[in-house]
Amino acid sequence: MKRWLSFLLVLVLAIGLAACGSQGAGNEGEESTTAAVGESVDYEIIGIDPGAGIMKATAKAIEDYGLEDWTLIEGSGAAMTAALKKAYDKEEPIIITGWTPHWKFVKFDLKYLEDPKGVYGEEENIHTITRNGLVEDHPNAVKVLDQFHWTADDMSTVMVMIEEGTKEEEAAAKWVEENAEKVAEWTAGAEKVDGDKITLAYVAWASEIASTNVLAKVLTDLGYDVTMTQLEAGPLWAGIADGSADASVAAWLPVTHADYATEFEGKFEDLGSNMEGTRIGLVVPSYMDINSIEDLK
């Protein structure tokens, strides 16, 4: 009996040690996986222009999630999508700052990394803003601006056409022609004008290039002489505030452009959202075995 008890004791100890060893290996494996992800992308997150709200949010994410080894690379929306396409075609890992709507989600199989700390906030809306006094100077344009509203699918249609090689103004004209009923809702009650000048400001995001070109086409058809001015986010808001630009349909609120909305409070008119349910965050190809920002630690 004593021999059997001794045998059972040895067996239990052996199983316990094996279990401890297995647990230790698991933790080491997790750390190795995390390190492998970082090393595979040189601990870099590919961003866009430094003035964008998503860049500020990403800098905060790096701090809040303790990603001291990581670097946020500044650039442009075009440079970011070029880097994404290059990596995706080779099925290589890459981490980018992303937002929807954007044509990249139509062309590539991508996913957002979960953000348990909520650094990037909830869903956002894109707002239409104008300079103070525009409604008195151009009431018909403001009527169109105020009634301008479309969906992510509408915008994606234009973005994909542009990405596939159609000129921006041609893509906008084609969409306007094929969506006459929706355009009629935007222009309801607005009278034609004769060459009145109006300036639309926008940031160089694919989404805002699409929306601004579409609205410019609608206003041009109404008789306006439209100038489209491409700016970074800060100068865009400053331009609306000082009156050097008349309007923009590219204000992302309440998170992305929150600082600018606060800085220029009282110096612009917010006509409300022209699209709901947008989103920003860190994005990776779906083939990458990573699901949360916390996995980057």
Side-chain angles (χ1 to χ4, degrees):
M1 178 64 71
K2 288 182 179 179
R3 292 177 61 186
W4 275 105
L5 288 174
S6 298
F7 174 76
L8 288 173
L9 180 59
V10 170
L11 183 61
V12 169
L13 288 172
I15 293 173
L17 289 171
C20 290
S22 176
Q23 290 174 358
N27 291 334
E28 182 180 346
E30 289 176 8
E31 292 174 1
S32 298
T33 300
T34 300
V37 171
E39 291 171 0
S40 69
V41 297
D42 295 327
Y43 290 94
E44 292 181 346
I45 297 169
I46 308 302
I48 56 173
D49 53 282
I54 192 173
M55 295 292 279
K56 291 184 178 180
T58 302
K60 187 174 188 301
I62 288 174
E63 179 180 352
D64 289 1
Y65 284 95
L67 308 179
E68 296 87 358
D69 295 333
W70 289 78
T71 301
L72 175 59
I73 305 299
E74 297 178 351
S76 67
M80 177 271 291
T81 51
L84 171 63
K85 185 179 187 305
K86 182 179 179 181
Y88 194 92
D89 288 345
K90 297 179 180 179
E91 289 195 19
E92 294 176 345
I94 187 171
I95 302 174
I96 63 171
T97 56
W99 63 92
T100 45
H102 192 283
W103 61 262
K104 62 181 176 286
F105 285 91
V106 178
K107 300 287 274 186
F108 308 124
D109 186 10
L110 307 173
K111 61 183 179 182
Y112 279 98
L113 294 182
E114 295 172 6
D115 176 22
K117 294 183 182 294
V119 175
Y120 290 99
E122 302 298 327
E123 289 186 344
E124 287 197 282
N125 299 325
I126 307 178
H127 286 230
T128 300
I129 58 174
T130 72
R131 64 170 173 83
N132 289 336
L134 185 65
V135 66
E136 288 81 19
D137 297 338
H138 297 294
N140 292 294
V142 171
K143 184 173 285 291
V144 175
L145 287 161
D146 192 34
Q147 294 174 163
F148 172 64
H149 187 279
W150 63 345
T151 67
D153 287 341
D154 293 327
M155 181 184 277
S156 294
T157 300
V158 182
M159 285 193 290
V160 170
M161 281 193 285
I162 295 171
E163 172 58 22
E164 291 178 344
T166 304
K167 291 182 178 179
E168 296 165 3
E169 62 272 18
E170 291 177 2
K174 180 176 175 59
W175 189 92
V176 168
E177 180 182 358
E178 294 176 350
N179 293 271
E181 186 174 335
K182 182 165 290 188
V183 172
E185 294 176 359
W186 301 346
T187 58
E191 299 177 2
K192 282 184 172 287
V193 299
D194 186 16
D196 292 4
K197 296 182 183 296
I198 191 166
T199 300
L200 302 178
Y202 68 101
V203 291
W205 292 9
S207 51
E208 312 321 316
I209 290 171
S211 59
T212 305
N213 272 271
V214 165
L215 189 58
K217 170 60 177 171
V218 172
L219 289 172
T220 298
D221 289 347
L222 204 62
Y224 282 92
D225 179 1
V226 181
T227 298
M228 292 185 292
T229 302
Q230 179 182 308
L231 300 166
E232 292 188 356
L236 181 153
W237 281 83
I240 297 293
D242 67 21
S244 58
D246 291 310
S248 177
V249 291
W252 286 57
L253 297 168
V255 177
T256 305
H257 290 164
D259 290 348
Y260 303 121
T262 299
E263 180 181 354
F264 297 109
E265 185 176 2
K267 297 180 180 180
F268 67 94
E269 295 290 338
D270 184 351
L271 301 185
S273 63
N274 59 63
M275 180 182 294
E276 291 80 33
T278 65
R279 183 180 178 184
I280 62 173
L282 294 186
V283 172
V284 300
S286 293
Y287 55 71
M288 287 183 65
D289 188 20
I290 182 174
N291 296 301
S292 173
I293 300 175
E294 289 191 326
D295 296 338
L296 302 178
K297 291 180 183 178

